[in-house]
Amino acid sequence: MSRHMDRIRHEAMEQYGEAPANATEALAHVLKVYADEPDSRLMVEATNGIYGDGVRTGLTMGDLRALASRLAT
């Protein structure tokens, strides 16, 4: 690994922590990395145009935040 990439890796680990070890940690990691994104941002696209022109389905940041909230209770 180049020194430049090594520095970026260390900075990311300081900011976001260790790599997630399971699905719950992965969800928390995504929410942390994309914390400033609006709830409307589509993060996981399931379909595009299947249900009509311009209609996309999937999971938004708001959906991911809601799922994380339910997991925490």
Side-chain angles (χ1 to χ4, degrees):
M1 180 179 297
S2 72
R3 287 174 48 176
H4 176 72
M5 288 303 293
D6 193 46
R7 180 180 53 82
I8 291 172
R9 179 179 174 271
H10 285 292
E11 288 174 2
M13 287 179 67
E14 284 179 14
Q15 186 172 1
Y16 304 123
E18 295 291 324
N22 57 50
T24 303
E25 289 179 8
L27 176 57
H29 180 75
V30 168
L31 294 177
K32 191 171 188 178
V33 170
Y34 291 97
D36 294 334
E37 293 297 322
D39 282 347
S40 60
R41 176 165 179 192
L42 187 63
M43 299 301 289
V44 179
E45 183 177 83
T47 68
N48 189 339
I50 299 297
Y51 298 101
D53 289 341
V55 178
R56 296 165 66 190
T57 65
L59 296 170
T60 64
M61 277 300 295
D63 296 330
L64 296 178
R65 289 178 178 120
L67 289 169
S69 177
R70 288 184 181 180
L71 289 173
T73 59

